[in-house]
């Protein structure tokens, strides 16, 4: 990719529970851009490691697996701009959201070789599109540093726990708050402190604290910002 060139991309980073997926899907829909969830790619790789019963300490094998991994993100229009995640041609959209996959992603996402391979794939995807909304942890800093629009979404820890609680409730699952707090704390810890591609605010990114904002408020702020810079 020519890094001097500004890509017609909205790059969005932020911690777990900051509203990235919901907001990114809606922003993509409003702008007529394609939505890419990079977290789904780390999740799909993690699922594959688990299915192939590879030990998470076997870094070389995991990196090799990430080199040739067949992940496809397809638009699936049910409700809002959602995506279907295909791994080796099979729909794993639900499986990759399971609690054990969520818990284990940190072991694959911390590996330099894995990040290099998935970042290359993500750049290829973005390059092919005339407009993209890509979200993750290192999109504004590593994957698409030349994106025309860079956004860092944030929210307080308490609010992010509350949102997770509601998400599970909607699915009919009741989880102890302490468990959700512990899980989020661990995810923050690995996202902010990993050596490669840690989550941080990129230079030139606008920061939106979503704690006290509605979803539509945040979407409007982002689409207004994009339209102003067009
Ligand atoms: O966005 P998410 O919670 O579905 O992402 C799952 C995990 O993948 C998250 O805990 C961190 C990792 N991830 C990453 O390291 N880099 C990205 N660009 C996106 C996600």
């Amino acid at each position: 990719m020519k890094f001097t060139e500004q890509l017609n991309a909205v790059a969005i980073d932020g911690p777990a529970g900051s509203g990235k997926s919901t907001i990114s899907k809606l922003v993509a829909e409003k702008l007529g851009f394609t939505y890419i969830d990079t977290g789904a790619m780390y999740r799909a790789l993690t699922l594959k490691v688990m299915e192939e019963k590879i030990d998470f300490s076997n870094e070389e094998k995991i990196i090799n697996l990430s080199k040739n991994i067949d992940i496809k993100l397809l638009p699936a229009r049910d409700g809002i701009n959602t995506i279907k995640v295909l791994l080796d041609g099979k729909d794993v959209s639900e499986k990759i959201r399971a609690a054990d996959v969520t818990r284990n992603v940190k072991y694959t996402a911390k590996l330099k070789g894995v990040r290099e391979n998935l970042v290359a794939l993500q750049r290829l995807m973005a390059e092919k599109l005339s407009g993209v909304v890509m979200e993750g942890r290192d999109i504004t800093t590593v994957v698409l540093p030349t994106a025309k629009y860079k956004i860092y979404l944030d929210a307080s820890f308490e609010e992010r726990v509350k949102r997770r609680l509601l998400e599970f409730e909607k699915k009919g699952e009741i989880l102890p708050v302490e468990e959700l707090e512990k899980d989020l704390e661990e995810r923050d810890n690995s996202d902010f402190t990993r050596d490669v591609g840690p989550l941080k605010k990129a230079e030139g990114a606008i920061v939106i604290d979503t704690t006290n904002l509605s979803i539509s408020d945040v979407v409007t702020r982002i689409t207004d910002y994009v339209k102003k810079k067009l």
Side-chain angles (χ1 to χ4, degrees):
M1 180 171 20
K2 296 177 228 72
F3 271 96
T4 44
E5 195 176 277
Q6 279 210 324
L7 273 178
N8 200 24
V10 183
I12 303 184
D13 286 322
S18 58
K20 285 187 315 294
S21 318
T22 313
I23 304 287
S24 303
K25 283 175 204 161
L26 289 167
V27 168
E29 188 145 282
K30 284 233 160 135
L31 297 172
F33 286 9
T34 303
Y35 164 61
I36 296 184
D37 170 5
T38 61
M41 299 169 74
Y42 288 92
R43 285 173 180 272
L45 170 67
T46 307
L47 177 68
K48 187 156 170 129
V49 171
M50 290 163 69
E51 284 184 345
E52 297 206 354
K53 300 200 176 4
I54 297 169
D55 199 283
F56 280 106
S57 62
N58 195 338
E59 302 188 353
E60 203 186 320
K61 236 179 169 171
I62 298 174
I63 293 168
N64 263 328
L65 207 61
S66 72
K67 209 179 288 171
N68 303 309
I69 196 155
D70 175 11
I71 302 173
K72 287 192 185 70
L73 306 177
L74 303 180
R77 291 207 151 256
D78 46 353
I80 53 170
N81 193 358
T82 51
I83 51 161
K84 211 193 252 183
V85 183
L86 300 187
L87 174 64
D88 300 320
K90 275 193 240 104
D91 186 353
V92 293
S93 314
E94 291 209 359
K95 267 192 184 170
I96 59 163
R97 309 281 161 201
D100 51 354
V101 175
T102 305
R103 238 186 338 265
N104 287 329
V105 183
K106 57 178 175 288
Y107 301 116
T108 58
K110 70 172 184 186
L111 302 176
K112 186 167 177 271
V114 162
R115 300 202 72 87
E116 281 168 0
N117 290 329
L118 294 193
V119 165
L121 210 57
Q122 289 153 11
R123 284 182 182 153
L124 268 179
M125 287 175 167
E127 269 181 274
K128 285 190 197 147
L129 295 163
S130 52
V132 64
V133 178
M134 188 179 273
E135 57 109 337
R137 305 293 191 286
D138 58 345
I139 312 305
T140 57
T141 53
V142 178
V143 183
L144 306 175
T146 62
K148 206 162 169 184
Y149 318 100
K150 293 189 219 173
I151 293 134
Y152 185 96
L153 287 186
D154 213 349
S156 70
F157 185 78
E158 293 71 27
E159 176 64 20
R160 293 190 286 127
V161 171
K162 208 168 89 189
R163 289 177 188 171
R164 275 288 128 93
L165 203 65
L166 283 174
E167 254 172 53
F168 279 107
E169 270 178 23
K170 265 193 211 154
K171 288 196 272 180
E173 293 173 46
I174 307 293
L175 287 181
V177 179
E178 297 74 31
E179 199 178 303
L180 289 174
E181 282 175 346
K182 189 168 161 275
D183 173 61
L184 205 59
E185 217 170 88
E186 279 177 12
R187 296 185 70 195
D188 278 358
N189 199 27
S190 68
D191 282 342
F192 286 112
T193 63
R194 78 176 141 252
D195 293 334
V196 202
L199 174 61
K200 56 182 179 201
K201 291 173 189 148
E203 210 176 301
I206 60 160
V207 179
I208 304 178
D209 184 345
T210 68
T211 307
N212 297 306
L213 296 176
S214 70
I215 291 170
S216 68
D217 282 344
V218 182
V219 172
T220 306
R221 272 200 202 187
I222 297 176
T223 49
D224 282 354
Y225 156 71
V226 169
K227 283 175 197 153
K228 244 185 249 162
K229 270 191 101 180
L230 271 177

